[in-house]
Amino acid sequence: MTSRTPRDSRLRLVPRQPIAAARKAVADRGSRPAPRPPAGIPGRPELARQARAGLTGAVRLARWAAAEYARGAGPGPLEGGAGGAGGAGADGTGEAGVLGTATAERAAAALDLTPRQVQADWDRARLAGLLELHGGSARAGWRLTAWDRDDSAVLRGWVALFDAWSLAHPEPAGTDPTVAAEVVEAAPQLLSVMHLSAGPVSVAMLLDLLRQRVAEIRAERCEIPYDGPEPVPARASVPAPRAGGGEDTGPLSDLLAWALDGLASVGALVVRGGSGPDAEAVLTPLGNWAVWVKLEQICVAAQSPAGNIELSAEAMLRGCADLSPGPARAEYRAWLAARPVRSAVAELLEAARGDDALVRGLAFEALRAVGAPAESAVRAVVDETMLRPYALLWLAEQEGHDAEEAAEVLTREEATWLWVDTAAAVADHGESRLLVRHLESAVQGTVPALLAEVRAVGHPRTVQVLVALAAAHPDPALAKAVRRAAFQVHRGG
């Protein structure tokens, strides 16, 4: 057999599969038909039209920012870089991506808006994935480029904003951040009750539900309300909510109003009757659809044999190891839907730091289901040797690279480290023939070059991978060379 190009070698007898093709190596199994939304929820075209209408201002600002970036007007809308030396300056942005004052005024003049309106639209555009931040500049995200023609992109962008409502509508000044976080964690249950009620729900009832849910959250943390004769510590200055009704003596009433205002600001619900005793809240069609989707995802996971929704991140990933890509993604999304995004991302990254390379790869597959909200956490682990190649590939795909091109962001050493890590996953969980096929995916042109670079890269599983490869390969000469390399690495060579 001859190779197609002079650069091909015995490692290229089978063409190297790109990353995207490797993920689809296992054929999708049959899955249940797509569920139909409840009666009264419009079709996707109408939902997308409503989402576009609600994000008109954000789209307009995002297109202005993208145009500024395209024509090279300075460093882009985020003048002064990403925070400079001391956080957000007048013309810069902090780590949270706050728009600089000078740029906001320039956008306000161009779009006939106030700087405050510009900042609000900026936050919504960023949270909806219409803009991507890179080195102090903002450029069009893929959702913006597909906005007018792709209903799925529009709905995903709106759901991303819906999930981040507490960032788009920050809590009132002086609020205890712990209590605010408890309200954010309780919000999905309130939304579920509104969805299942299929109509308006009184704010008084929502407040009672909020009290009960926050009490459960604190009980799960084993916080015992202090009611003795001594002064209450500062951390416990907020009275614990009561499970029963009655007048609320803590800040939960104000924070419920904040949560309803925030969800209303992104178009998920409408509050009727002002702030009086007759006030009630009702989900919009978009909000009803989004809650139904999340509940459906949770039900799918709850019906799985492993019950993945109740498991830790590592156990959930192991439960998904034998699934084909489509069902696995459904499991990831359901598991994520049942948890706050920030804690779910942190748990996935912690699982990726473990010894099992298969779990590590699956953790980043699950992070692909999270999307843009995980970007800052993934960037924070880029300097960790064990996670760096996975993180760089994930970030490259978020920045718009095709899966086939994403591997170009890795150096030769990083690609080799990833090859060894993937080989470790195959050796632990796969068949011998898969390990032999994995040899053919190496970036090196010859076996001696591969062995030399594998020995130099310093992966902790190098010896085990080489021993498993030597045992699996049918070529006696190659197996002997690999065994010799494993022995040398074991002896410190």
Side-chain angles (χ1 to χ4, degrees):
M1 180 181 293
T2 59
S3 58
R4 297 192 178 193
T5 68
R7 296 179 60 190
D8 282 349
S9 69
R10 65 188 304 171
L11 296 184
R12 291 290 183 267
L13 297 181
V14 177
R16 180 161 61 96
Q17 285 187 323
I19 294 175
R23 292 195 191 112
K24 298 177 181 177
V26 180
D28 286 345
R29 301 177 197 166
S31 58
R32 64 175 187 154
R36 298 177 64 86
I41 295 182
R44 291 175 68 86
E46 173 59 20
L47 291 170
R49 186 196 66 76
Q50 295 179 16
R52 288 187 177 98
L55 288 169
T56 299
V59 171
R60 187 177 174 217
L61 178 62
R63 285 177 172 157
W64 175 85
E68 291 289 291
Y69 178 85
R71 70 184 183 88
L78 308 184
E79 297 175 4
D91 295 330
T93 176
E95 292 184 0
V98 178
L99 191 63
T101 302
T103 304
E105 292 175 350
R106 187 153 51 95
L111 301 175
D112 194 23
L113 300 171
T114 66
R116 185 166 184 172
Q117 288 173 318
V118 167
Q119 188 65 63
D121 285 339
W122 166 264
D123 290 339
R124 291 159 68 87
R126 189 167 51 87
L127 294 171
L130 300 172
L131 289 172
E132 295 177 355
L133 310 185
H134 300 279
S137 298
R139 63 191 187 198
W142 71 270
R143 285 177 182 149
L144 182 63
T145 60
W147 194 255
D148 293 329
R149 56 180 170 79
D150 190 339
D151 289 347
S152 293
V154 173
L155 291 174
R156 288 178 183 176
W158 184 86
V159 169
L161 177 63
F162 167 67
D163 289 338
W165 66 265
S166 60
L167 300 179
H169 189 72
E171 68 270 15
T175 301
D176 184 335
T178 301
V179 182
E182 292 168 345
V183 173
V184 173
E185 187 175 349
Q189 183 173 0
L190 304 184
L191 292 168
S192 298
V193 169
M194 296 172 66
H195 168 75
L196 296 173
S197 298
V201 178
S202 70
V203 173
M205 176 181 174
L206 293 175
L207 179 57
D208 190 54
L209 290 171
L210 179 61
R211 290 193 190 111
Q212 296 179 44
R213 180 61 187 131
V214 171
E216 292 170 358
I217 292 170
R218 293 179 182 177
E220 290 168 1
R221 293 201 305 260
C222 298
E223 289 191 7
I224 302 175
Y226 183 88
D227 54 5
E230 298 181 9
V232 178
R235 168 62 187 87
S237 59
V238 178
R242 293 167 295 171
E247 185 177 356
D248 183 50
T249 58
L252 291 183
S253 179
D254 293 338
L255 286 177
L256 175 61
W258 161 66
L260 294 177
D261 287 345
L263 290 163
S265 71
V266 300
L269 56 81
V270 175
V271 178
R272 302 170 179 169
S275 57
D278 296 330
E280 57 185 17
V282 61
L283 292 175
T284 64
L286 271 173
N288 220 10
W289 168 78
V291 176
W292 169 76
V293 168
K294 293 182 181 297
L295 289 175
E296 182 66 24
Q297 291 171 347
I298 291 172
C299 290
V300 168
Q303 293 168 4
S304 66
N308 290 320
I309 193 172
E310 302 292 340
L311 302 179
S312 66
E314 182 174 352
M316 179 273 295
L317 294 171
R318 292 186 186 279
C320 294
D322 294 330
L323 298 178
S324 52
R329 279 191 297 271
E331 295 283 302
Y332 302 150
R333 290 172 181 149
W335 186 86
L336 292 164
R339 290 161 176 78
V341 174
R342 182 178 301 178
S343 62
V345 170
E347 194 175 345
L348 287 170
L349 289 174
E350 188 59 33
R353 294 185 178 97
D355 295 331
D356 194 327
L358 177 64
V359 170
R360 188 157 33 254
L362 293 176
F364 278 86
E365 289 294 338
L367 287 170
R368 287 181 175 88
V370 179
E375 182 170 352
S376 60
V378 174
R379 288 192 184 279
V381 303
V382 164
D383 293 331
E384 298 184 28
T385 302
M386 186 174 293
L387 305 184
R388 179 176 176 80
Y390 295 95
L392 291 175
L393 290 174
W394 189 95
L395 291 169
E397 293 182 17
Q398 283 294 305
E399 292 170 4
H401 291 275
D402 292 336
E404 296 184 12
E405 301 173 354
E408 297 175 2
V409 304
L410 301 181
T411 65
R412 183 72 165 246
E413 292 76 15
E414 291 162 353
T416 303
W417 197 100
L418 182 60
W419 185 91
V420 178
D421 205 51
T422 307
V426 175
D428 290 343
H429 301 278
E431 301 175 3
S432 298
R433 60 182 181 83
L434 297 179
L435 194 58
V436 175
R437 288 187 62 186
H438 185 61
L439 175 64
E440 297 159 354
S441 71
V443 296
Q444 291 77 11
T446 65
V447 170
L450 170 65
L451 295 178
E453 294 186 29
V454 164
R455 289 165 57 184
V457 80
H459 193 287
R461 296 289 305 278
T462 298
V463 173
Q464 293 94 325
V465 165
L466 293 179
V467 169
L469 180 57
H473 207 283
D475 185 336
L478 189 148
K480 182 178 180 180
V482 173
R483 273 194 301 271
R484 184 184 302 114
F487 179 76
Q488 292 170 344
V489 174
H490 177 66
R491 294 291 300 270

